[in-house]
Amino acid sequence: MGNKTDIIVYFAGAIRGDRVMGYMIQEIVGYIKGLGFQVLTEHVGSDDPIATFASKIGKTKDTLTAEDIESQDIAWLDQATHVIAEISGASTGTGREIEYARVKGVLGKTPSQILCLYHSDREFYASPMVRGMSQSKYPNVRIKKYKDLSETKVIIKNFLDS
């Protein structure tokens, strides 16, 4: 497995968008943390991700602004060596996070390896703009579909091991 102290994970998934896979997001974040990796955005897996995010940056849900979210997410993305995104539900924010992570290395930031996951039953809803990113064209991006949690865990472990 990759050196746990050298790997910093940014987890992306729908928060305000189509959160149909919320339970899976919680399981995935818990699994990554259970492997001993730092997950900068573990709030994505909480029951109330917006309130948890706000608390994490010293704000309340009522005082949290769009600028707070964008600024903090970019700061965390800049630190991340690995980005794992659950893309089964529509989320413009997740799409932006994936694209920023894909190109940040050429912007002089810490390069990231990116894994995008979607449930096989949700292929239609997972953006073709993301699913269509081949590793031959985008070497730091991997797109994988899964059928269940156990398959997801294998995919994630292999990703973090490589």
Side-chain angles (χ1 to χ4, degrees):
M1 180 164 293
N3 186 340
K4 291 179 174 101
T5 59
D6 294 338
I7 293 176
I8 301 171
V9 177
Y10 182 102
F11 185 86
I15 291 177
R16 295 178 191 224
D18 182 2
R19 198 160 162 86
V20 68
M21 300 304 286
Y23 71 93
M24 184 62 81
I25 288 170
Q26 289 178 332
E27 293 291 332
I28 293 170
V29 170
Y31 175 70
I32 297 165
K33 288 176 56 184
L35 291 174
F37 293 100
Q38 179 183 9
V39 181
L40 297 172
T41 53
E42 63 185 277
H43 65 276
V44 178
S46 72
D47 289 332
D48 188 345
I50 298 168
T52 305
F53 175 95
S55 176
K56 193 170 183 174
I57 66 165
K59 293 249 180 162
T60 65
K61 194 172 179 176
D62 295 336
T63 62
L64 186 66
T65 66
E67 291 81 8
D68 293 331
I69 294 167
E70 194 275 345
S71 178
Q72 184 60 66
D73 280 347
I74 294 297
W76 282 331
L77 280 163
D78 285 346
Q79 295 175 53
T81 59
H82 291 68
V83 174
I84 299 173
E86 209 300 332
I87 63 165
S88 297
S91 170
T92 55
T94 300
R96 179 162 185 250
E97 290 162 328
I98 293 164
E99 185 59 16
Y100 182 81
R102 188 185 71 75
V103 301
K104 73 184 180 105
V106 297
L107 301 174
K109 310 289 184 176
T110 302
S112 285
Q113 294 299 310
I114 302 154
L115 172 64
C116 299
L117 302 162
Y118 65 93
H119 194 280
S120 56
D121 290 345
R122 302 278 307 166
E123 185 166 0
F124 176 81
Y125 301 99
S127 171
M129 284 294 289
V130 176
R131 285 188 296 107
M133 291 191 295
S134 67
Q135 197 169 2
S136 61
K137 189 171 182 181
Y138 304 104
N140 64 330
V141 178
R142 292 164 189 79
I143 311 297
K144 301 283 184 184
K145 67 179 164 181
Y146 64 88
K147 292 180 183 158
D148 56 30
L149 182 59
S150 62
E151 185 176 11
T152 307
K153 289 178 177 181
V154 171
I155 293 167
I156 290 169
K157 187 170 183 321
N158 289 339
F159 172 69
L160 294 173
D161 280 348
S162 60

